[in-house]
Amino acid sequence: MAASDDCRLDLIKSLVRAFPDFPKKGIIFRDICPILKSPEALSAVISLFEQHVREKFQKVDLVVGLDARGFLFGPLLAQRLGVGFVLVRKKGKLPGATVSVAYDLEYGKAEAEIQEDAVSPGQKVILIDDLLATGGTLYAACALMQQQRAEVLGCLVVMELKDLNGADKLKPHHVHSLLQY
């Protein structure tokens, strides 16, 4: 990793705030809002993602962002890569014909969906979100891409909570995280 990469990562990490016991006792919430507030830090996140994608993949057709914070990073990355952006939303939030998949949460069940015509068979996609915890939401998004017969090149996240082993749930898909806690 180049020194400039280290500087960008240091900047990003310095802006992540930890809130103990939120939303409940025993959980440390990692807040990325200060990153979004800093043009320099936000640019650093997108630049590091762009660098990773360009080094690892010859062709990307779409960036797929997960509800809701993947919507913040995804369009910026898609614009830098010169490709389109697609939304994966919670069930019932998209108009028109949709495709959905159910998945488990730590506290129940949920469904993720995309518009039926959002991804075409054979398209090469990168998934993006702010956080990888248990992997449920990214797993559901990968399943949606598989249903649409798209090729998932990899998953990008700003932060990964390593102790929760979410990356294991996503295998064989590669996860690239900027920060690990």
Side-chain angles (χ1 to χ4, degrees):
M1 183 177 300
S4 64
D5 293 350
D6 288 339
C7 290
R8 290 184 289 187
L9 284 171
D10 288 345
L11 170 63
I12 294 163
K13 190 169 191 166
S14 75
L15 293 175
V16 175
R17 296 185 297 191
F19 288 93
D21 299 323
F22 182 83
K24 63 182 184 179
K25 190 162 181 60
I27 293 178
I28 299 174
F29 185 87
R30 306 281 178 183
D31 180 22
I32 63 162
C33 290
I35 293 170
L36 300 170
K37 187 176 168 183
S38 166
E40 185 180 11
L42 182 56
S43 181
V45 168
I46 302 307
S47 293
L48 288 166
F49 282 154
E50 178 188 14
Q51 178 181 327
H52 175 78
V53 170
R54 291 193 187 280
E55 287 174 0
K56 299 293 181 194
F57 309 109
Q58 289 186 338
K59 183 178 189 311
V60 175
D61 297 309
L62 292 170
V63 173
V64 179
L66 280 62
D67 197 345
R69 291 188 173 163
F71 299 172
L72 302 172
F73 300 106
L76 296 172
L77 178 60
Q79 184 179 42
R80 291 252 189 113
L81 296 173
V83 301
F85 176 74
V86 171
L87 307 170
V88 170
R89 301 272 341 242
K90 294 175 178 97
K91 181 101 172 132
K93 300 289 185 180
L94 291 170
T98 61
V99 178
S100 66
V101 70
Y103 64 100
D104 293 324
L105 297 168
E106 303 84 54
Y107 50 84
K109 293 195 178 288
E111 282 188 74
E113 68 181 358
I114 60 169
Q115 290 175 318
E116 190 175 70
D117 62 354
V119 179
S120 299
Q123 284 192 303
K124 297 175 184 308
V125 302
I126 296 287
L127 280 68
I128 190 167
D129 204 1
D130 67 322
L131 175 71
L132 173 60
T134 63
T137 308
L138 268 170
Y139 181 82
C142 289
L144 280 171
M145 296 303 109
Q146 186 176 8
Q147 267 185 326
Q148 297 301 96
R149 298 189 327 264
E151 181 183 345
V152 175
L153 299 174
C155 303
L156 305 174
V157 294
V158 178
M159 297 179 293
E160 179 180 357
L161 305 179
K162 296 291 276 184
D163 291 347
L164 297 178
N165 301 315
D168 291 343
K169 186 172 191 167
L170 297 172
K171 288 180 180 173
H173 304 297
H174 172 74
V175 175
H176 178 69
S177 54
L178 298 181
L179 305 174
Q180 297 83 33
Y181 294 96

